[in-house]
Amino acid sequence: AIADQAASVLYKTRLYRQTEERARQLAVLNEVGNSITSTLDLRTVLETIVAKAIELLGAEAGSLLLVDEQNNELVFEVTFGPAAEDLRGQRLPFGKGIVGAVAQTRQPQIVNEAQTDIRWLRDVDRTTAFSTRALVAVPMITKNRVIGVLELINKRDADRFNEDDVQLLTTFATNAAVAVDNARLFTMTDQALASRLDELSMLQEIDRQLNTSLDIKRVLDLTLDWGLRMTNATAGSVGLVNREQNAVDLIAAREYTYQPASLPLERGLAGAVAKSGQPILVNDVTTDARYVAGSPTTQSQMSVPIKREHDVIGVMNLENNRTNAFGILALDTATRLADHAATAIINAQLY
């Protein structure tokens, strides 16, 4: 009878503790939801997520890795714990290690004996002098896209993580992923606005410089120099369309090993632009049969028309020694520069 009474008390005590712990976790989740949505500063959002995740599960350390889609890597953006400074900024190939497997499979992982798992990156512990016993890692997914991985290491009051921990952390990571995505979009918008303001300031200065000269060579040299600067191009040229000769006469060029006097309209990207009146962006010139080499190191090229109303009067070519060096924003910038240069070029031609 005493044993039955004791069992009942123990069961109720355990149930009360579990309920109390669940209430604490829900309170932390609610607090986290308020914290991470109260700011759009990306760094603050990331640090809050890791700090609250550690608090939520009572872990010794934690990390948040974001996906670098361009390089197909995971980057340690935020790390808390004894080895935090040693890990921040390090990169892992997609699919490598436990966190890499989480990002690749989109499935959470519990590893309660990390040292015996072949996926565990032992070099990380060696370089940081931190001993990993157990870990749990969950993917951060938003809009059906993995944007990162949240990882917690070593539970303080237990030797192992359990399925309840995974479910709780997965719920947490789902909400956190939305906050990270929002902060990223805001940062990108903010950066785009700042970039646009810088560009407008540059275009104002360009207009001032171009309109102080009526020498056609000087105007084209200025146009090319600004084009190289604004798009980070490593080589380029500017030419005027010569309808009588059916060619583009090159007036200004930078970093060309050989500068022909003119380019036939039937050949090259410049000729195609002069004929169509539409800009062209080629991020791997080896894949475009129209490309004619001006610089031997060129891997990417964009060519934009210089127009007077609807007539193409010239072409600006901007090149880079890397593939995929230019994007749509760079092409838009070059096009706007060409539009601003057109007036000064026409004035110089008339003079």
Side-chain angles (χ1 to χ4, degrees):
I2 293 173
D4 287 344
Q5 289 291 329
S8 177
V9 170
L10 288 171
Y11 177 75
K12 290 176 181 177
T13 301
R14 182 181 299 167
L15 195 61
Y16 173 75
R17 286 178 179 171
Q18 289 174 345
T19 304
E20 194 176 45
E21 176 63 13
R22 185 60 177 164
R24 183 191 69 81
Q25 291 173 343
L26 289 172
V28 173
L29 279 175
N30 184 56
E31 180 188 345
V32 169
N34 293 332
S35 297
I36 62 180
T37 56
S38 64
T39 178
L40 286 171
D41 178 71
L42 182 58
R43 177 54 50 181
T44 302
V45 169
L46 295 176
E47 290 179 351
T48 301
I49 288 169
V50 180
K52 293 301 181 182
I54 290 174
E55 178 185 343
L56 190 64
L57 293 189
E60 289 183 10
S63 301
L64 192 155
L65 300 89
L66 290 182
V67 174
D68 180 351
E69 293 179 348
Q70 187 172 357
N71 296 307
N72 207 28
E73 293 178 325
L74 288 166
V75 185
F76 281 92
E77 291 289 346
V78 177
T79 56
F80 284 164
E85 294 300 324
D86 298 317
L87 284 176
R88 194 169 298 132
Q90 286 194 26
R91 292 173 171 265
L92 292 175
F94 218 67
K96 183 176 181 180
I98 296 168
V99 290
V102 169
Q104 193 170 54
T105 64
R106 305 164 70 99
Q107 297 297 320
Q109 294 277 337
I110 298 179
V111 180
N112 282 316
E113 295 179 2
Q115 303 294 336
T116 62
D117 194 299
I118 59 172
R119 299 170 300 172
W120 175 241
L121 303 176
R122 289 165 179 77
D123 291 342
V124 174
D125 272 13
R126 292 194 193 103
T127 57
T128 60
F130 179 75
S131 178
T132 300
R133 301 185 303 276
L135 68 87
V136 57
V138 298
M140 299 175 67
I141 302 174
T142 181
K143 300 173 185 173
N144 201 32
R145 181 170 56 94
V146 178
I147 64 168
V149 176
L150 185 58
E151 174 190 46
L152 296 180
I153 298 175
N154 298 349
K155 206 166 183 180
R156 293 184 186 278
D157 58 353
D159 292 332
R160 309 173 71 81
F161 290 103
N162 55 45
E163 289 299 327
D164 289 340
D165 295 329
V166 173
Q167 292 178 10
L168 185 62
L169 194 60
T170 299
T171 302
F172 174 87
T174 300
N175 296 329
V178 175
V180 171
D181 199 42
N182 289 339
R184 269 179 155 179
L185 288 173
F186 177 78
T187 300
M188 289 170 62
T189 303
D190 200 37
Q191 289 173 344
L193 178 60
S195 176
R196 182 71 177 121
L197 289 173
D198 287 343
E199 184 186 318
L200 288 172
S201 178
M202 281 191 204
L203 288 173
Q204 187 178 28
E205 175 62 19
I206 289 167
D207 285 339
R208 188 189 67 79
Q209 290 186 17
L210 289 176
N211 292 318
T212 58
S213 176
L214 288 172
D215 176 76
I216 191 70
K217 179 72 166 63
R218 171 68 176 156
V219 169
L220 293 177
D221 279 334
L222 281 171
T223 300
L224 179 56
D225 288 340
W226 277 105
L228 295 170
R229 187 187 310 182
M230 293 176 74
T231 63
N232 292 319
T234 56
S237 60
V238 178
L240 297 178
V241 176
N242 185 336
R243 297 295 176 186
E244 293 181 0
Q245 299 295 326
N246 201 33
V248 176
D249 295 333
L250 291 185
I251 310 298
R254 300 287 183 275
E255 303 302 323
Y256 278 14
T257 52
Y258 165 67
Q259 181 183 338
S262 62
L263 297 172
L265 293 186
E266 304 304 322
R267 295 180 59 221
L269 299 176
V273 169
K275 290 171 67 177
S276 69
Q278 298 299 317
I280 292 176
L281 171 61
V282 179
N283 267 319
D284 185 354
V285 294
T286 62
T287 64
D288 197 307
R290 297 170 298 179
Y291 172 72
V292 175
S295 170
T297 60
T298 293
Q299 298 293 320
S300 306
Q301 177 173 322
M302 56 182 173
S303 298
V304 297
I306 302 171
K307 294 181 178 181
R308 176 177 58 195
E309 296 179 354
H310 300 295
D311 295 330
V312 179
I313 62 170
V315 178
M316 178 167 62
N317 305 302
L318 297 170
E319 306 169 29
N320 198 290
N321 52 22
R322 294 184 295 107
T323 56
N324 300 307
F326 302 120
I328 296 300
L329 292 177
L331 186 64
D332 288 343
T333 297
T335 302
R336 282 192 287 270
L337 172 60
D339 291 341
H340 280 254
T343 302
I345 291 170
I346 292 165
N347 289 339
Q349 284 179 324
L350 290 172
Y351 177 76

